[in-house]
Amino acid sequence: MGKTDISSKSVEMVPGVFWVGVLDRERALFDSFMSLPYGTTYNAYLVTGGEKTALIDTVGLDFTDILTKKVSESVKVEDIDYVVMNHAEPDHGGSIPKILSIAKNAKLVASKKGVGMAKLFYDVPEERMMAVEDGSKIELGGKTLRFISAPWLHWPETMFTYCEEDRVLFTCDFFGAHMAADKLYEDEVGDIVLSEARRYYAEIMMIFINPLRKALDKVAELDIKIIGPSHGPVYREPHRIVDAYEKWARGPLEQKAVVIYVSMYGSTAVLEKTIVAALKDEGVDAVAYNMVKSDISQIVTDLVDSSAIIFGSPSFYGGMHPRLASSVELIRTLKPRGKIVAVFGSYGWGGGAAKEIKSRLAPVGFDVIETLEIKGPPGDEALDKARSLGKAVARKIKETRAAN
Ligand code: FEO
């Protein structure tokens, strides 16, 4: 298991199957919202059979030269027969035009929707593309690639590729983690991989809960030795990431509430502390985030197994505070499984924050069980109401867990 400098060399994972990906340590954000403290990788894989060669996914456009250099350690780029596009997003598809221009006889293999996207994003001519369906196969000579329909992970065209003889599953974004580690395998990097995989799951995959559960069902039917996602380390103990996804997607939610708040003059903060204490008194774990100094990425990760979300905002010109608004909108979009919501806050001369937050969340399936707006600094009566709100959330969490 010695040290391999994967930044400059390809890695042969099993005979004839190579990791030819690249490390991007400099990128700060993914999709302009997800922070990347450990950078990321764009993993591509080369599968060389006795007769044909396939490149599975490519890399971002800026990294094409590194990809071609790594491929050239095993085969000439012009000899690639197939470029499999599991996903069209430019972090994986950006090098497709360049690779196809060198490998003049190569076909681009993609799902039916993927073919449309390859035309749209990369202007690939129809005659250079091959659409595959669930179960379609390509024979490379002693290596068979089977394509598995897995849409909406992360765009509608996504699919998996499974190398039958070697039992390697290439899942592109699914099972990914944004990390540019200096070692290839998850077991060499350590526990931080699963922690980053959970953050990745929360921000990229959680929104697609039904497609991802269907994909997990398909994965469960496969005999897998290695899982090669297109971001972060490769799993040669595949159960570790599969079990983690099963837990996040289908496991019981924790007896836990996440409190997300902003306070301008301390009144909403006093309510927050009272509510958190009430939750803890009832045996419910509570994690509070002040949006003036918190990373939304961490909050969303905490929501993977949380039963409830409690928003606190002072009224800001008749609505919610702008520092809270982006988290409300992101959570509204990502749809965590725990849908119990309560809202609280203070106001000086006119309310409105709680009403606005409720109006954003209730229509899309969140169960807003309590709203509390307090005029001015909270006195004893207001603190009693805050305690009642915390207890009501705790009660609802327990009832919901008991019913499931
Ligand atoms: Fe890694 Fe959806 O792109």
Side-chain angles (χ1 to χ4, degrees), residues 256-261 268 272 275 279 307-313 324 328 331 338-345 353-355 357-358 361-362 366-373 385-397:
K256 178 177 104 181
V258 170
V259 183
I260 309 167
Y261 74 100
T268 301
E272 173 268 319
I275 290 166
L279 287 161
S307 295
I309 316 168
I310 305 177
F311 293 97
S313 174
L324 192 81
V328 171
I331 290 165
K339 297 271 193 321
I340 300 165
V341 165
V343 187
F344 68 94
K355 187 175 171 197
I357 294 168
K358 183 175 181 179
L361 297 174
F366 289 89
D367 183 11
V368 184
I369 62 165
E370 291 270 337
T371 60
L372 172 65
E373 285 197 322
K385 288 180 178 173
R387 266 188 288 275
S388 295
L389 183 145
K391 286 178 190 298
V393 172
R395 218 166 28 246
K396 183 73 175 180
I397 289 174

Side-chain angles (χ1 to χ4, degrees), residues 103-295:
K104 296 197 183 311
N105 295 315
K107 290 265 188 199
L108 184 85
V109 180
S111 67
K112 193 172 167 195
K113 279 206 170 84
V115 162
M117 288 196 178
K119 171 81 183 142
L120 176 70
F121 280 86
Y122 308 115
D123 200 23
V124 180
E126 296 233 341
E127 64 274 16
R128 303 254 350 234
M129 293 196 277
M130 190 174 148
V132 289
E133 296 178 348
D134 190 42
S136 297
K137 294 183 184 184
I138 287 177
E139 300 293 339
L140 304 178
K143 292 194 189 296
T144 309
L145 298 183
R146 191 202 316 167
F147 304 103
I148 298 168
S149 176
W152 290 107
L153 305 168
H154 143 236
W155 285 5
E157 86 297 356
T158 51
M159 65 178 192
F160 299 159
T161 300
Y162 178 61
C163 182
E164 293 185 340
E165 291 78 2
D166 296 312
R167 300 183 289 129
V168 182
L169 181 66
F170 304 99
T171 54
C172 205
D173 280 349
F174 200 59
F175 297 139
H178 283 311
M179 293 191 74
D182 58 1
K183 296 180 183 159
L184 183 62
Y185 297 106
E186 173 263 350
D187 55 283
E188 296 175 304
V189 179
D191 290 345
I192 191 167
V193 182
L194 283 181
S195 152
E196 282 303 300
R198 175 176 160 134
R199 196 163 74 86
Y200 185 97
Y201 170 92
E203 296 192 277
I204 306 286
M205 290 294 154
M206 185 166 69
I207 184 173
F208 304 113
I209 189 73
N210 291 325
L212 83 81
R213 284 172 173 162
K214 283 184 191 156
L216 285 174
D217 290 341
K218 289 189 175 182
V219 168
E221 289 170 8
L222 298 172
D223 179 12
I224 303 170
K225 179 178 176 184
I226 293 176
I227 286 179
S230 286
H231 295 290
V234 168
Y235 293 87
R236 54 188 171 186
E237 295 174 31
H239 70 91
R240 284 174 56 78
I241 188 67
V242 175
D243 292 350
Y245 263 56
E246 282 289 349
K247 180 165 178 271
W248 301 331
R250 294 195 257 233
L253 295 175
E254 298 292 327
Q255 193 159 288
K256 178 177 104 181
V258 170
V259 183
I260 309 167
Y261 74 100
V262 172
S263 189
M264 295 195 293
Y265 292 103
S267 297
T268 301
V270 168
L271 298 173
E272 173 268 319
K273 284 178 180 50
T274 307
I275 290 166
V276 166
L279 287 161
K280 290 187 173 172
D281 282 350
E282 295 296 318
V284 169
D285 192 13
V287 190
Y289 292 97
N290 181 343
M291 282 316 297
V292 171
K293 54 187 179 184
S294 301
D295 179 2

Side-chain angles (χ1 to χ4, degrees), residues 80-99:
I80 291 171
D81 298 284
Y82 301 104
V83 177
V84 175
M85 188 188 80
N86 281 325
H87 179 21
E89 194 164 2
D91 50 329
H92 311 294
S95 300
I96 285 173
K98 179 73 174 178
I99 298 293

